[in-house]
Amino acid sequence: MTIFYNHAFLPAEQVNIAHNDRGLTLGDGVFDTMLAQDGKPVWAREHFARLSYNASVLGIAFTLDFEPAVQELLERNDAGQGRYAVRTTITRGAGGRGLMPPDTVKPTIIMSCTPAPQKTNRAEMIIAQTVRRNEHSPLSQIKSLNYGDNLLALLEAQEKSTEDSILLNSAGNVCCTTTGNIFICENRKIVTPPLDDGILAGITRQKIIERYDVTEESFIPERLFEANAVFMTNSIQGIRPIKRIDHTYFPPDNGIIPENFYAA
């Protein structure tokens, strides 16, 4: 496997992260995951714009010729056919002990691509009880390296023999799954939580809002159970219907979820 590391292409085994890289020691960084379909990045401009914005929230400045780097990475990994997940990680770089960043620091940039099979089954989920999303934190709206809450919620789902968890925020409103945005369908009306409720500004989420009549509003878990259908979205899976949440099951064909709309 070839990795793009600090503006060079290296074999994976030659990529060495500094022991004091702040992404490793403090989670001081951001990341992005983008789909590449048959050698072509999907919505690369939008992904890079979000990555740059997310880094700016943490005050991390970096330079990266994103699309050419992605294209060459795919070519070097013979990723010309099929689906691949391209992950880009930006950390503040190496620093000394303590929380405050040093006066001068060089960001670390890592980009990799790995196969991304399409999940075709409908997802089974729970509502997480172990953790809640903090809608008051700026980190709730960016893909930072601080993914501990998501991991705890995912482990809870695994313990309960389901695939994923739906997270609520501190106000008790529905936010997202551990890896994507969530939508409910109510009598032909499509609803998704607003960004202010502490959710990530997903690229696929935004594309759906642009193409379809979607209402952004807060809602409580009871509306999940009463909905005609529920689906999740992210850049790798596109739209994925949800089969079950806790003990509530949803019909396989509701005619509401937009057809033929995938991240690719």
Side-chain angles (χ1 to χ4, degrees):
M1 177 188 293
T2 297
I3 304 292
F4 178 84
Y5 177 62
N6 289 342
H7 305 284
F9 292 93
L10 299 174
E13 59 272 17
Q14 293 182 18
V15 175
N16 297 303
I17 309 300
H19 71 91
N20 59 344
D21 189 288
R22 290 173 60 89
L24 174 65
T25 61
L26 296 170
D28 189 5
V30 296
F31 74 98
D32 175 82
T33 306
M34 176 180 65
L35 177 69
Q37 177 73 48
D38 295 332
K40 296 180 180 179
V42 177
W43 300 326
R45 184 176 302 175
E46 290 88 341
H47 278 275
F48 184 64
R50 185 179 65 179
L51 178 66
S52 299
Y53 170 75
N54 289 351
S56 73
V57 170
L58 294 180
I60 298 174
F62 70 97
T63 59
L64 174 61
D65 200 357
F66 185 65
E67 293 188 50
V70 171
Q71 200 65 59
E72 185 168 350
L73 180 70
L74 293 170
E75 293 171 1
R76 286 174 177 262
N77 284 281
D78 296 324
Q81 297 293 324
R83 296 164 47 84
Y84 285 81
V86 179
R87 168 159 173 151
T88 306
T89 303
I90 310 290
T91 82
R92 197 180 302 272
R97 184 184 178 281
L99 187 61
M100 184 62 66
D103 292 334
T104 57
V105 65
K106 182 180 179 181
T108 300
I109 302 174
I110 308 168
M111 187 187 298
S112 63
C113 70
T114 53
Q118 177 70 53
K119 293 183 178 180
T120 56
N121 63 308
R122 297 191 297 142
E124 298 192 33
M125 300 190 175
I126 61 167
I127 294 180
Q129 302 297 318
T130 55
V131 66
R132 289 207 174 190
R133 193 89 163 174
N134 178 10
E135 72 273 23
H136 304 293
S137 170
L139 296 183
S140 69
Q141 296 186 24
I142 68 173
K143 292 178 78 73
S144 81
L145 297 182
N146 296 271
Y147 249 52
D149 286 347
N150 302 60
L151 176 59
L152 289 173
L154 190 61
L155 290 173
E156 181 185 350
Q158 185 181 57
E159 290 172 359
K160 296 179 179 179
S161 301
T162 55
E163 182 178 348
D164 203 349
S165 285
I166 294 171
L167 285 85
L168 309 182
N169 65 13
S170 62
N173 292 322
V174 174
C175 286
C176 54
T177 74
T178 65
T179 59
N181 296 116
I182 195 162
F183 293 75
I184 61 174
C185 304
E186 300 175 319
N187 299 321
R188 315 301 299 183
K189 175 184 177 182
I190 302 176
V191 182
T192 195
L195 298 180
D196 288 345
D197 273 354
I199 68 169
L200 177 72
I203 303 299
T204 306
R205 172 187 182 274
Q206 185 57 40
K207 294 297 182 180
I208 292 176
I209 291 173
E210 292 172 0
R211 298 182 187 184
Y212 300 94
D213 184 14
V214 177
T215 300
E216 295 180 78
E217 64 182 36
S218 302
F219 57 87
I220 58 178
E222 284 72 15
R223 284 179 68 182
L224 284 173
F225 303 131
E226 296 169 357
N228 303 111
V230 184
F231 62 90
M232 65 161 289
T233 65
N234 66 29
S235 292
I236 303 302
Q237 298 182 42
I239 290 177
R240 189 171 180 212
I242 294 175
K243 177 181 180 181
R244 172 172 71 92
I245 301 173
D246 288 344
H247 301 295
T248 299
Y249 286 80
F250 301 93
D253 184 10
N254 49 71
I256 297 174
I257 296 173
E259 296 181 358
N260 301 320
F261 183 101
Y262 300 97

